[in-house]
Amino acid sequence: MDNVIRLAIVDDDPLVRSGLRLMLSAASDIEVVAEAADGIDVESLVDAHDTDLVLMDIRMPRMDGLAATAALRRRADPPEVLILTTFTGDGYILDALRAGAAGYVLKHTPPEQIVAAVRNVMAGEPVLSSAAVKQLINAVTAPAADSGPDPRTRRAEAEAMLDLLAPREREVAIAVAEGRTNAEIATACFMSLPTVKAHVSHILTKLGLDNRVQIALLVYRAGLV
């Protein structure tokens, strides 16, 4: 079948892997091609199985999912990464998104929503559980720590990055931060869908970002949403 998503599951709990394989394999457009119990095995797994997306846990014995995600996203043609975990701390969420994960979903999420999350990530849409969104908003809006840049400095840095964008790209970036899908952006901004996709790609390249969630974080930091 064309357009089948080739997916790998990385989790140190064999029962979790078994349950996810059973659940995801029931979808006609998803094929679970490989499993691993530790992040240290992810790169070789991806090389061996031509993986489109990795469903990644965070805490694992030798290499955690955050480090494994960062390693994957540094590759020339990286697979997408969707974090699936029980942990909701804002540190985990921010680190995962900064590492290049395209989404962050909790394990107690209903099965049909996990399947939808896989499809959405492969369609270029960011995926965050409601708990992750709350933590992310808290982290972005909280006062900066004493050891880090003050809010004005962080805002100025974000504004300077966004100033690199053309006006239409900036418009699309703000729409991304508002949580709009590509189709919704196309309608709201009177663009074709391919044009929106091209703008998103240009934004990522110009700003050195990995995914739409990082675009949203930058726009939030600049105070534009």
PDB file of all heavy atoms in Angstrom, residues 165-176 182 185-186 189-207 212 215:
ATOM      1  N   LEU A 165      12.337  36.964   8.622  1.00  0.00           N
ATOM      2  CA  LEU A 165      11.300  36.430   7.753  1.00  0.00           C
ATOM      3  C   LEU A 165      10.685  37.501   6.872  1.00  0.00           C
ATOM      4  O   LEU A 165      10.585  38.660   7.262  1.00  0.00           O
ATOM      5  CB  LEU A 165      10.191  35.782   8.595  1.00  0.00           C
ATOM      6  CG  LEU A 165      10.605  34.659   9.547  1.00  0.00           C
ATOM      7  CD1 LEU A 165       9.388  34.176  10.326  1.00  0.00           C
ATOM      8  CD2 LEU A 165      11.270  33.518   8.802  1.00  0.00           C
ATOM      9  N   ALA A 166      10.242  37.085   5.687  1.00  0.00           N
ATOM     10  CA  ALA A 166       9.455  37.964   4.828  1.00  0.00           C
ATOM     11  C   ALA A 166       8.075  38.149   5.461  1.00  0.00           C
ATOM     12  O   ALA A 166       7.657  37.348   6.297  1.00  0.00           O
ATOM     13  CB  ALA A 166       9.326  37.338   3.441  1.00  0.00           C
ATOM     14  N   PRO A 167       7.360  39.211   5.082  1.00  0.00           N
ATOM     15  CA  PRO A 167       6.064  39.475   5.716  1.00  0.00           C
ATOM     16  C   PRO A 167       5.091  38.298   5.683  1.00  0.00           C
ATOM     17  O   PRO A 167       4.434  38.000   6.683  1.00  0.00           O
ATOM     18  CB  PRO A 167       5.522  40.669   4.911  1.00  0.00           C
ATOM     19  CG  PRO A 167       6.753  41.381   4.451  1.00  0.00           C
ATOM     20  CD  PRO A 167       7.741  40.306   4.157  1.00  0.00           C
ATOM     21  N   ARG A 168       4.985  37.614   4.546  1.00  0.00           N
ATOM     22  CA  ARG A 168       4.055  36.494   4.464  1.00  0.00           C
ATOM     23  C   ARG A 168       4.539  35.316   5.311  1.00  0.00           C
ATOM     24  O   ARG A 168       3.733  34.589   5.905  1.00  0.00           O
ATOM     25  CB  ARG A 168       3.868  36.058   3.010  1.00  0.00           C
ATOM     26  CG  ARG A 168       3.093  37.041   2.180  1.00  0.00           C
ATOM     27  CD  ARG A 168       1.639  37.175   2.655  1.00  0.00           C
ATOM     28  NE  ARG A 168       0.708  36.407   1.862  1.00  0.00           N
ATOM     29  CZ  ARG A 168      -0.575  36.260   2.155  1.00  0.00           C
ATOM     30  NH1 ARG A 168      -1.075  36.820   3.244  1.00  0.00           N
ATOM     31  NH2 ARG A 168      -1.372  35.539   1.385  1.00  0.00           N
ATOM     32  N   GLU A 169       5.839  35.123   5.385  1.00  0.00           N
ATOM     33  CA  GLU A 169       6.386  34.064   6.235  1.00  0.00           C
ATOM     34  C   GLU A 169       6.091  34.361   7.704  1.00  0.00           C
ATOM     35  O   GLU A 169       5.748  33.462   8.470  1.00  0.00           O
ATOM     36  CB  GLU A 169       7.898  33.930   6.012  1.00  0.00           C
ATOM     37  CG  GLU A 169       8.273  33.390   4.653  1.00  0.00           C
ATOM     38  CD  GLU A 169       9.755  33.494   4.357  1.00  0.00           C
ATOM     39  OE1 GLU A 169      10.459  34.245   5.082  1.00  0.00           O
ATOM     40  OE2 GLU A 169      10.211  32.865   3.392  1.00  0.00           O
ATOM     41  N   ARG A 170       6.220  35.611   8.074  1.00  0.00           N
ATOM     42  CA  ARG A 170       5.925  36.013   9.448  1.00  0.00           C
ATOM     43  C   ARG A 170       4.448  35.771   9.767  1.00  0.00           C
ATOM     44  O   ARG A 170       4.113  35.304  10.858  1.00  0.00           O
ATOM     45  CB  ARG A 170       6.283  37.493   9.628  1.00  0.00           C
ATOM     46  CG  ARG A 170       6.160  38.022  11.052  1.00  0.00           C
ATOM     47  CD  ARG A 170       6.482  39.512  11.053  1.00  0.00           C
ATOM     48  NE  ARG A 170       6.388  40.094  12.370  1.00  0.00           N
ATOM     49  CZ  ARG A 170       7.416  40.198  13.211  1.00  0.00           C
ATOM     50  NH1 ARG A 170       8.597  39.743  12.863  1.00  0.00           N
ATOM     51  NH2 ARG A 170       7.251  40.751  14.397  1.00  0.00           N
ATOM     52  N   GLU A 171       3.583  36.070   8.812  1.00  0.00           N
ATOM     53  CA  GLU A 171       2.148  35.845   8.976  1.00  0.00           C
ATOM     54  C   GLU A 171       1.870  34.354   9.196  1.00  0.00           C
ATOM     55  O   GLU A 171       1.073  33.979  10.061  1.00  0.00           O
ATOM     56  CB  GLU A 171       1.417  36.351   7.733  1.00  0.00           C
ATOM     57  CG  GLU A 171      -0.096  36.327   7.829  1.00  0.00           C
ATOM     58  CD  GLU A 171      -0.755  36.891   6.588  1.00  0.00           C
ATOM     59  OE1 GLU A 171      -0.027  37.357   5.672  1.00  0.00           O
ATOM     60  OE2 GLU A 171      -2.001  36.860   6.517  1.00  0.00           O
ATOM     61  N   VAL A 172       2.540  33.528   8.424  1.00  0.00           N
ATOM     62  CA  VAL A 172       2.367  32.081   8.565  1.00  0.00           C
ATOM     63  C   VAL A 172       2.919  31.607   9.909  1.00  0.00           C
ATOM     64  O   VAL A 172       2.307  30.763  10.577  1.00  0.00           O
ATOM     65  CB  VAL A 172       3.050  31.339   7.402  1.00  0.00           C
ATOM     66  CG1 VAL A 172       3.104  29.827   7.672  1.00  0.00           C
ATOM     67  CG2 VAL A 172       2.312  31.609   6.089  1.00  0.00           C
ATOM     68  N   ALA A 173       4.040  32.150  10.331  1.00  0.00           N
ATOM     69  CA  ALA A 173       4.633  31.754  11.618  1.00  0.00           C
ATOM     70  C   ALA A 173       3.675  32.044  12.768  1.00  0.00           C
ATOM     71  O   ALA A 173       3.514  31.221  13.687  1.00  0.00           O
ATOM     72  CB  ALA A 173       5.957  32.476  11.829  1.00  0.00           C
ATOM     73  N   ILE A 174       3.045  33.194  12.736  1.00  0.00           N
ATOM     74  CA  ILE A 174       2.081  33.552  13.787  1.00  0.00           C
ATOM     75  C   ILE A 174       0.882  32.606  13.753  1.00  0.00           C
ATOM     76  O   ILE A 174       0.391  32.150  14.794  1.00  0.00           O
ATOM     77  CB  ILE A 174       1.636  35.014  13.633  1.00  0.00           C
ATOM     78  CG1 ILE A 174       2.822  35.948  13.930  1.00  0.00           C
ATOM     79  CG2 ILE A 174       0.464  35.328  14.559  1.00  0.00           C
ATOM     80  CD1 ILE A 174       2.560  37.412  13.615  1.00  0.00           C
ATOM     81  N   ALA A 175       0.432  32.262  12.553  1.00  0.00           N
ATOM     82  CA  ALA A 175      -0.695  31.338  12.430  1.00  0.00           C
ATOM     83  C   ALA A 175      -0.329  29.954  12.961  1.00  0.00           C
ATOM     84  O   ALA A 175      -1.140  29.276  13.595  1.00  0.00           O
ATOM     85  CB  ALA A 175      -1.139  31.252  10.973  1.00  0.00           C
ATOM     86  N   VAL A 176       0.890  29.535  12.714  1.00  0.00           N
ATOM     87  CA  VAL A 176       1.368  28.256  13.264  1.00  0.00           C
ATOM     88  C   VAL A 176       1.314  28.298  14.789  1.00  0.00           C
ATOM     89  O   VAL A 176       0.865  27.353  15.444  1.00  0.00           O
ATOM     90  CB  VAL A 176       2.800  27.953  12.779  1.00  0.00           C
ATOM     91  CG1 VAL A 176       3.425  26.816  13.589  1.00  0.00           C
ATOM     92  CG2 VAL A 176       2.790  27.593  11.295  1.00  0.00           C
ATOM     93  N   ASN A 182      -2.230  23.580   8.329  1.00  0.00           N
ATOM     94  CA  ASN A 182      -1.886  24.169   7.035  1.00  0.00           C
ATOM     95  C   ASN A 182      -3.133  24.571   6.261  1.00  0.00           C
ATOM     96  O   ASN A 182      -3.182  25.625   5.623  1.00  0.00           O
ATOM     97  CB  ASN A 182      -1.056  23.185   6.209  1.00  0.00           C
ATOM     98  CG  ASN A 182       0.366  23.080   6.715  1.00  0.00           C
ATOM     99  OD1 ASN A 182       0.834  23.923   7.466  1.00  0.00           O
ATOM    100  ND2 ASN A 182       1.065  22.034   6.310  1.00  0.00           N
ATOM    101  N   ILE A 185      -4.546  27.722   7.734  1.00  0.00           N
ATOM    102  CA  ILE A 185      -3.717  28.877   7.385  1.00  0.00           C
ATOM    103  C   ILE A 185      -3.996  29.296   5.943  1.00  0.00           C
ATOM    104  O   ILE A 185      -4.103  30.488   5.633  1.00  0.00           O
ATOM    105  CB  ILE A 185      -2.222  28.555   7.577  1.00  0.00           C
ATOM    106  CG1 ILE A 185      -1.918  28.300   9.052  1.00  0.00           C
ATOM    107  CG2 ILE A 185      -1.349  29.702   7.057  1.00  0.00           C
ATOM    108  CD1 ILE A 185      -0.513  27.776   9.310  1.00  0.00           C
ATOM    109  N   ALA A 186      -4.112  28.311   5.060  1.00  0.00           N
ATOM    110  CA  ALA A 186      -4.383  28.614   3.659  1.00  0.00           C
ATOM    111  C   ALA A 186      -5.676  29.409   3.513  1.00  0.00           C
ATOM    112  O   ALA A 186      -5.742  30.388   2.761  1.00  0.00           O
ATOM    113  CB  ALA A 186      -4.455  27.317   2.853  1.00  0.00           C
ATOM    114  N   CYS A 189      -5.308  33.020   5.326  1.00  0.00           N
ATOM    115  CA  CYS A 189      -4.337  33.933   4.714  1.00  0.00           C
ATOM    116  C   CYS A 189      -4.476  34.038   3.193  1.00  0.00           C
ATOM    117  O   CYS A 189      -3.633  34.653   2.542  1.00  0.00           O
ATOM    118  CB  CYS A 189      -2.908  33.492   5.074  1.00  0.00           C
ATOM    119  SG  CYS A 189      -2.568  33.483   6.842  1.00  0.00           S
ATOM    120  N   PHE A 190      -5.525  33.390   2.640  1.00  0.00           N
ATOM    121  CA  PHE A 190      -5.781  33.437   1.208  1.00  0.00           C
ATOM    122  C   PHE A 190      -4.577  32.959   0.397  1.00  0.00           C
ATOM    123  O   PHE A 190      -4.106  33.620  -0.539  1.00  0.00           O
ATOM    124  CB  PHE A 190      -6.185  34.862   0.780  1.00  0.00           C
ATOM    125  CG  PHE A 190      -7.368  35.401   1.532  1.00  0.00           C
ATOM    126  CD1 PHE A 190      -7.191  36.284   2.586  1.00  0.00           C
ATOM    127  CD2 PHE A 190      -8.653  34.980   1.223  1.00  0.00           C
ATOM    128  CE1 PHE A 190      -8.281  36.771   3.301  1.00  0.00           C
ATOM    129  CE2 PHE A 190      -9.750  35.469   1.928  1.00  0.00           C
ATOM    130  CZ  PHE A 190      -9.568  36.356   2.972  1.00  0.00           C
ATOM    131  N   MET A 191      -4.086  31.762   0.773  1.00  0.00           N
ATOM    132  CA  MET A 191      -2.980  31.123   0.074  1.00  0.00           C
ATOM    133  C   MET A 191      -3.406  29.727  -0.359  1.00  0.00           C
ATOM    134  O   MET A 191      -4.343  29.153   0.189  1.00  0.00           O
ATOM    135  CB  MET A 191      -1.745  30.978   0.989  1.00  0.00           C
ATOM    136  CG  MET A 191      -1.198  32.241   1.583  1.00  0.00           C
ATOM    137  SD  MET A 191       0.221  31.837   2.664  1.00  0.00           S
ATOM    138  CE  MET A 191       0.509  33.431   3.433  1.00  0.00           C
ATOM    139  N   SER A 192      -2.668  29.178  -1.291  1.00  0.00           N
ATOM    140  CA  SER A 192      -2.877  27.772  -1.624  1.00  0.00           C
ATOM    141  C   SER A 192      -2.167  26.914  -0.586  1.00  0.00           C
ATOM    142  O   SER A 192      -1.236  27.364   0.108  1.00  0.00           O
ATOM    143  CB  SER A 192      -2.317  27.460  -3.008  1.00  0.00           C
ATOM    144  OG  SER A 192      -0.900  27.529  -2.993  1.00  0.00           O
ATOM    145  N   LEU A 193      -2.605  25.666  -0.464  1.00  0.00           N
ATOM    146  CA  LEU A 193      -1.982  24.759   0.496  1.00  0.00           C
ATOM    147  C   LEU A 193      -0.494  24.541   0.188  1.00  0.00           C
ATOM    148  O   LEU A 193       0.338  24.581   1.105  1.00  0.00           O
ATOM    149  CB  LEU A 193      -2.735  23.427   0.520  1.00  0.00           C
ATOM    150  CG  LEU A 193      -2.388  22.455   1.656  1.00  0.00           C
ATOM    151  CD1 LEU A 193      -2.574  23.113   3.023  1.00  0.00           C
ATOM    152  CD2 LEU A 193      -3.265  21.201   1.547  1.00  0.00           C
ATOM    153  N   PRO A 194      -0.102  24.323  -1.077  1.00  0.00           N
ATOM    154  CA  PRO A 194       1.337  24.183  -1.368  1.00  0.00           C
ATOM    155  C   PRO A 194       2.145  25.417  -0.980  1.00  0.00           C
ATOM    156  O   PRO A 194       3.298  25.304  -0.550  1.00  0.00           O
ATOM    157  CB  PRO A 194       1.364  23.947  -2.887  1.00  0.00           C
ATOM    158  CG  PRO A 194       0.045  23.335  -3.204  1.00  0.00           C
ATOM    159  CD  PRO A 194      -0.913  24.032  -2.279  1.00  0.00           C
ATOM    160  N   THR A 195       1.532  26.614  -1.128  1.00  0.00           N
ATOM    161  CA  THR A 195       2.239  27.845  -0.754  1.00  0.00           C
ATOM    162  C   THR A 195       2.471  27.890   0.751  1.00  0.00           C
ATOM    163  O   THR A 195       3.564  28.278   1.208  1.00  0.00           O
ATOM    164  CB  THR A 195       1.439  29.082  -1.194  1.00  0.00           C
ATOM    165  OG1 THR A 195       1.310  29.073  -2.619  1.00  0.00           O
ATOM    166  CG2 THR A 195       2.134  30.364  -0.764  1.00  0.00           C
ATOM    167  N   VAL A 196       1.466  27.500   1.530  1.00  0.00           N
ATOM    168  CA  VAL A 196       1.634  27.465   2.988  1.00  0.00           C
ATOM    169  C   VAL A 196       2.749  26.501   3.358  1.00  0.00           C
ATOM    170  O   VAL A 196       3.623  26.820   4.184  1.00  0.00           O
ATOM    171  CB  VAL A 196       0.314  27.057   3.672  1.00  0.00           C
ATOM    172  CG1 VAL A 196       0.544  26.865   5.172  1.00  0.00           C
ATOM    173  CG2 VAL A 196      -0.756  28.105   3.437  1.00  0.00           C
ATOM    174  N   LYS A 197       2.734  25.316   2.775  1.00  0.00           N
ATOM    175  CA  LYS A 197       3.770  24.321   3.076  1.00  0.00           C
ATOM    176  C   LYS A 197       5.156  24.849   2.716  1.00  0.00           C
ATOM    177  O   LYS A 197       6.124  24.635   3.450  1.00  0.00           O
ATOM    178  CB  LYS A 197       3.484  23.019   2.334  1.00  0.00           C
ATOM    179  CG  LYS A 197       2.255  22.284   2.836  1.00  0.00           C
ATOM    180  CD  LYS A 197       2.018  20.999   2.048  1.00  0.00           C
ATOM    181  CE  LYS A 197       0.820  20.235   2.584  1.00  0.00           C
ATOM    182  NZ  LYS A 197       0.561  18.993   1.804  1.00  0.00           N
ATOM    183  N   ALA A 198       5.234  25.558   1.589  1.00  0.00           N
ATOM    184  CA  ALA A 198       6.528  26.131   1.187  1.00  0.00           C
ATOM    185  C   ALA A 198       6.983  27.191   2.180  1.00  0.00           C
ATOM    186  O   ALA A 198       8.170  27.252   2.541  1.00  0.00           O
ATOM    187  CB  ALA A 198       6.414  26.728  -0.212  1.00  0.00           C
ATOM    188  N   HIS A 199       6.062  28.036   2.636  1.00  0.00           N
ATOM    189  CA  HIS A 199       6.412  29.062   3.624  1.00  0.00           C
ATOM    190  C   HIS A 199       6.907  28.418   4.921  1.00  0.00           C
ATOM    191  O   HIS A 199       7.903  28.873   5.502  1.00  0.00           O
ATOM    192  CB  HIS A 199       5.204  29.947   3.918  1.00  0.00           C
ATOM    193  CG  HIS A 199       4.958  31.017   2.907  1.00  0.00           C
ATOM    194  ND1 HIS A 199       5.971  31.765   2.344  1.00  0.00           N
ATOM    195  CD2 HIS A 199       3.797  31.485   2.355  1.00  0.00           C
ATOM    196  CE1 HIS A 199       5.462  32.638   1.494  1.00  0.00           C
ATOM    197  NE2 HIS A 199       4.142  32.487   1.482  1.00  0.00           N
ATOM    198  N   VAL A 200       6.224  27.379   5.391  1.00  0.00           N
ATOM    199  CA  VAL A 200       6.650  26.703   6.621  1.00  0.00           C
ATOM    200  C   VAL A 200       8.059  26.147   6.442  1.00  0.00           C
ATOM    201  O   VAL A 200       8.921  26.286   7.322  1.00  0.00           O
ATOM    202  CB  VAL A 200       5.662  25.593   7.014  1.00  0.00           C
ATOM    203  CG1 VAL A 200       6.232  24.761   8.174  1.00  0.00           C
ATOM    204  CG2 VAL A 200       4.307  26.176   7.400  1.00  0.00           C
ATOM    205  N   SER A 201       8.309  25.526   5.305  1.00  0.00           N
ATOM    206  CA  SER A 201       9.643  24.978   5.036  1.00  0.00           C
ATOM    207  C   SER A 201      10.701  26.073   5.021  1.00  0.00           C
ATOM    208  O   SER A 201      11.791  25.913   5.590  1.00  0.00           O
ATOM    209  CB  SER A 201       9.630  24.242   3.694  1.00  0.00           C
ATOM    210  OG  SER A 201      10.905  23.725   3.391  1.00  0.00           O
ATOM    211  N   HIS A 202      10.391  27.216   4.397  1.00  0.00           N
ATOM    212  CA  HIS A 202      11.342  28.333   4.346  1.00  0.00           C
ATOM    213  C   HIS A 202      11.603  28.891   5.753  1.00  0.00           C
ATOM    214  O   HIS A 202      12.747  29.249   6.080  1.00  0.00           O
ATOM    215  CB  HIS A 202      10.811  29.446   3.441  1.00  0.00           C
ATOM    216  CG  HIS A 202      10.720  29.058   2.003  1.00  0.00           C
ATOM    217  ND1 HIS A 202       9.906  29.701   1.099  1.00  0.00           N
ATOM    218  CD2 HIS A 202      11.332  28.064   1.306  1.00  0.00           C
ATOM    219  CE1 HIS A 202      10.026  29.132  -0.079  1.00  0.00           C
ATOM    220  NE2 HIS A 202      10.876  28.141   0.017  1.00  0.00           N
ATOM    221  N   ILE A 203      10.549  28.989   6.561  1.00  0.00           N
ATOM    222  CA  ILE A 203      10.718  29.484   7.933  1.00  0.00           C
ATOM    223  C   ILE A 203      11.670  28.583   8.714  1.00  0.00           C
ATOM    224  O   ILE A 203      12.592  29.060   9.397  1.00  0.00           O
ATOM    225  CB  ILE A 203       9.340  29.556   8.637  1.00  0.00           C
ATOM    226  CG1 ILE A 203       8.468  30.643   8.010  1.00  0.00           C
ATOM    227  CG2 ILE A 203       9.516  29.835  10.141  1.00  0.00           C
ATOM    228  CD1 ILE A 203       7.003  30.558   8.411  1.00  0.00           C
ATOM    229  N   LEU A 204      11.457  27.278   8.624  1.00  0.00           N
ATOM    230  CA  LEU A 204      12.314  26.336   9.343  1.00  0.00           C
ATOM    231  C   LEU A 204      13.773  26.483   8.906  1.00  0.00           C
ATOM    232  O   LEU A 204      14.691  26.488   9.732  1.00  0.00           O
ATOM    233  CB  LEU A 204      11.830  24.908   9.109  1.00  0.00           C
ATOM    234  CG  LEU A 204      10.460  24.547   9.693  1.00  0.00           C
ATOM    235  CD1 LEU A 204      10.026  23.164   9.219  1.00  0.00           C
ATOM    236  CD2 LEU A 204      10.474  24.597  11.209  1.00  0.00           C
ATOM    237  N   THR A 205      13.971  26.607   7.593  1.00  0.00           N
ATOM    238  CA  THR A 205      15.338  26.716   7.062  1.00  0.00           C
ATOM    239  C   THR A 205      15.991  28.023   7.479  1.00  0.00           C
ATOM    240  O   THR A 205      17.134  28.050   7.953  1.00  0.00           O
ATOM    241  CB  THR A 205      15.316  26.607   5.526  1.00  0.00           C
ATOM    242  OG1 THR A 205      14.755  25.344   5.144  1.00  0.00           O
ATOM    243  CG2 THR A 205      16.727  26.724   4.959  1.00  0.00           C
ATOM    244  N   LYS A 206      15.270  29.134   7.327  1.00  0.00           N
ATOM    245  CA  LYS A 206      15.831  30.452   7.659  1.00  0.00           C
ATOM    246  C   LYS A 206      16.209  30.561   9.132  1.00  0.00           C
ATOM    247  O   LYS A 206      17.234  31.159   9.484  1.00  0.00           O
ATOM    248  CB  LYS A 206      14.822  31.554   7.326  1.00  0.00           C
ATOM    249  CG  LYS A 206      14.759  31.954   5.867  1.00  0.00           C
ATOM    250  CD  LYS A 206      13.842  33.167   5.685  1.00  0.00           C
ATOM    251  CE  LYS A 206      13.808  33.648   4.263  1.00  0.00           C
ATOM    252  NZ  LYS A 206      12.962  34.854   4.091  1.00  0.00           N
ATOM    253  N   LEU A 207      15.368  29.997  10.008  1.00  0.00           N
ATOM    254  CA  LEU A 207      15.567  30.178  11.441  1.00  0.00           C
ATOM    255  C   LEU A 207      16.330  29.024  12.078  1.00  0.00           C
ATOM    256  O   LEU A 207      16.583  29.042  13.280  1.00  0.00           O
ATOM    257  CB  LEU A 207      14.208  30.356  12.139  1.00  0.00           C
ATOM    258  CG  LEU A 207      13.350  31.518  11.613  1.00  0.00           C
ATOM    259  CD1 LEU A 207      12.086  31.664  12.441  1.00  0.00           C
ATOM    260  CD2 LEU A 207      14.144  32.822  11.618  1.00  0.00           C
ATOM    261  N   ARG A 212       7.386  22.647  13.584  1.00  0.00           N
ATOM    262  CA  ARG A 212       6.414  23.721  13.792  1.00  0.00           C
ATOM    263  C   ARG A 212       6.293  24.130  15.255  1.00  0.00           C
ATOM    264  O   ARG A 212       6.006  25.291  15.553  1.00  0.00           O
ATOM    265  CB  ARG A 212       5.043  23.262  13.286  1.00  0.00           C
ATOM    266  CG  ARG A 212       4.988  23.016  11.809  1.00  0.00           C
ATOM    267  CD  ARG A 212       3.725  22.238  11.461  1.00  0.00           C
ATOM    268  NE  ARG A 212       2.535  23.006  11.644  1.00  0.00           N
ATOM    269  CZ  ARG A 212       1.894  23.639  10.671  1.00  0.00           C
ATOM    270  NH1 ARG A 212       2.351  23.596   9.440  1.00  0.00           N
ATOM    271  NH2 ARG A 212       0.786  24.311  10.913  1.00  0.00           N
ATOM    272  N   ILE A 215       8.715  26.742  15.951  1.00  0.00           N
ATOM    273  CA  ILE A 215       8.236  28.029  15.415  1.00  0.00           C
ATOM    274  C   ILE A 215       7.296  28.680  16.420  1.00  0.00           C
ATOM    275  O   ILE A 215       7.399  29.870  16.734  1.00  0.00           O
ATOM    276  CB  ILE A 215       7.504  27.834  14.069  1.00  0.00           C
ATOM    277  CG1 ILE A 215       8.460  27.328  12.998  1.00  0.00           C
ATOM    278  CG2 ILE A 215       6.856  29.151  13.625  1.00  0.00           C
ATOM    279  CD1 ILE A 215       7.767  26.985  11.676  1.00  0.00           C
TER     280      ILE A 215
END
